[in-house]
Amino acid sequence: MTVMIKEASLEDKKQVYELWKASYPSQNQNYLTYYFKTLFDQGTCLLQEQDNKVISSIQMNEHVISFGARKIAIAYLLGVSTLPDYRRRGHMRTLMEAALDETSHNYLFTFIKAFNPKLYAPYGFETVYAHRHFLIKSEELNKVSCLHTQKEATASQLLYAYKRFIVKFDGYYIRDLAYYERLLEELELKEKRMVVYRDPVQGVCGYLIYQIIKDEIQVKEAIYQDSISLMRMLKAISEPEREILIEVSEKEHLEKIFPLAIPKKQGFMMVRVNNYELFNKYFNKQVKNAREAFEILKKPLWLHEYY
């Protein structure tokens, strides 16, 4: 039977939502609903139809990253999904090839989260960025004060903290006020929580975005100016019966302030260079893979984006 690839229309949106819900059963349903209401239409969704229903889809979102002294638009792929009864028939390969053909004509890089590197490597993706995970016991914060920590901040204050933090890195998303306005909306879903550090002189200069999952407090994003502000925010969210799992970039050496926390490395972002000839001409280099492309940056990478 013929399978058609097309761009999702408004009429397809409900079916794509149900497809994602079936493909990602652990995803918070409130967040999924929020994503389709607020963010889905900002990207492009390719899908396949068979038997009068949507059987697979892939979403392509555009973002702008810092790359050296330049700002570069990139494509981010997500929502890679196929209905269980239609898997292992080559549908996703066909859809992925169509998506990469689209992004290759419009973007220098295509990003995808490193859920399954072996699945995406055949398409030219390479893991260029990993997170370091530190498990911190609450007793390691016993002597730390949570002075100057609060639970609220405005979008402009969060953006200010991000801009101050991110100057030490490269490869990061160029975030704007709208990004943090959406983040505050997302926090209202109660899946994630936030604590901020408000310096008496400089104002908000740090925040943590975290979730409580069973016996762990999982810090998904840590923005801070120094070890004191980080430790105080961690103290503010700590609980005696729960450990804190914090995700940071490869170059953030939290073992210096938490010597008992042994870091574990986990791949986070894969990248495909869509046109090596153009890249090498643009940057006057001779790179042969995505890892080499990102190694030309003089500052460490920082990527914590999920869509």
Side-chain angles (χ1 to χ4, degrees):
M1 182 176 292
T2 302
V3 181
M4 181 176 64
I5 296 178
K6 69 171 190 175
E7 187 174 325
S9 65
L10 288 176
E11 290 73 23
D12 300 315
K13 190 172 179 179
K14 184 176 180 181
Q15 283 199 61
V16 176
Y17 171 82
E18 294 298 331
L19 170 61
W20 285 25
K21 189 163 68 171
S23 300
Y24 303 100
S26 62
Q27 176 67 62
N28 181 280
Q29 295 304 302
N30 288 334
Y31 175 76
L32 191 62
T33 300
Y34 167 80
Y35 183 88
F36 270 78
K37 179 181 178 181
T38 310
L39 299 169
F40 180 80
D41 293 337
Q42 296 181 20
T44 299
C45 179
L46 294 182
L47 58 81
Q48 288 181 306
E49 288 184 333
Q50 187 174 332
D51 302 326
N52 296 316
K53 60 185 174 183
V54 175
I55 63 167
S56 62
S57 78
I58 189 167
Q59 176 88 350
M60 301 180 293
N61 290 342
E62 178 183 297
H63 296 285
V64 177
I65 67 167
S66 167
F67 197 91
R70 298 174 173 86
K71 295 180 180 179
I72 296 178
I74 63 98
Y76 192 124
L77 303 185
L78 69 155
V80 180
S81 50
T82 303
L83 286 175
D85 290 345
Y86 293 84
R87 292 172 185 170
R88 302 184 183 278
R89 301 183 189 179
H91 296 309
M92 187 46 61
R93 171 173 288 279
T94 301
L95 199 57
M96 179 67 78
E97 289 173 350
L100 292 176
D101 181 65
E102 176 77 17
T103 62
S104 294
H105 285 86
N106 296 289
Y107 304 98
L108 190 57
F109 299 123
T110 302
F111 285 30
I112 196 165
K113 196 170 180 296
F115 283 117
N116 190 340
K118 291 183 179 180
L119 182 63
Y120 302 124
Y123 301 101
F125 287 97
E126 298 172 79
T127 301
V128 302
Y129 178 75
H131 281 173
R132 299 176 89 210
H133 294 205
F134 290 84
L135 196 61
I136 301 169
K137 298 182 181 298
S138 60
E139 52 262 34
E140 294 185 66
L141 297 163
N142 282 344
K143 296 182 180 181
V144 179
S145 164
C146 55
L147 185 66
H148 301 316
T149 61
Q150 299 177 1
K151 295 184 178 180
E152 294 182 353
T154 65
S156 60
Q157 289 169 338
L158 296 174
L159 178 59
Y160 170 75
Y162 177 75
K163 287 182 175 180
R164 291 190 63 199
F165 170 80
I166 211 65
V167 295
K168 298 173 285 189
F169 300 94
D170 209 339
Y172 55 85
Y173 275 33
I174 305 296
R175 296 181 179 177
D176 56 15
L177 191 62
Y179 176 95
Y180 282 98
E181 289 172 343
R182 290 194 298 269
L183 175 61
L184 293 177
E185 290 180 359
E186 186 181 337
L187 291 173
E188 293 180 2
L189 302 177
K190 307 302 181 183
E191 180 192 10
K192 297 178 182 178
R193 308 182 189 188
M194 178 178 70
V195 64
V196 304
Y197 184 82
R198 190 182 298 271
D199 183 274
V201 177
Q202 301 180 69
V204 174
C205 56
Y207 65 83
L208 302 181
I209 304 298
Y210 66 100
Q211 296 173 277
I212 296 179
I213 301 178
K214 296 182 180 179
D215 295 329
E216 282 186 348
I217 300 171
Q218 298 183 2
V219 178
K220 296 299 184 180
E221 182 164 302
I223 302 296
Y224 57 96
Q225 286 301 305
D226 51 41
S227 59
I228 293 176
S229 59
L230 176 61
M231 289 191 293
R232 287 184 175 179
M233 289 189 291
L234 290 172
K235 175 65 175 182
I237 68 173
S238 66
E239 298 178 8
E241 70 278 11
R242 288 190 171 102
E243 295 178 317
I244 298 176
L245 181 68
I246 179 171
E247 297 180 27
V248 296
S249 70
E250 292 182 80
K251 300 301 181 181
E252 292 174 76
H253 297 285
L254 300 193
E255 65 270 24
K256 293 181 179 180
I257 55 177
F258 298 108
L260 299 179
I262 301 174
K264 293 184 179 180
K265 184 178 175 180
Q266 181 176 331
F268 183 78
M269 192 68 70
M270 301 186 78
V271 175
R272 182 181 191 267
V273 178
N274 295 321
N275 189 323
Y276 283 100
E277 182 180 358
L278 178 60
F279 179 93
N280 288 325
K281 182 178 180 180
Y282 193 48
F283 292 99
N284 193 26
K285 300 292 181 180
Q286 292 296 323
V287 307
K288 298 178 182 178
N289 55 60
R291 185 176 295 275
E292 288 182 359
F294 277 77
E295 284 176 350
I296 75 171
L297 298 176
K298 296 180 180 180
K299 295 181 181 179
L301 287 175
W302 193 92
L303 283 166
H304 283 251
E305 316 297 343
Y306 289 85
Y307 57 83

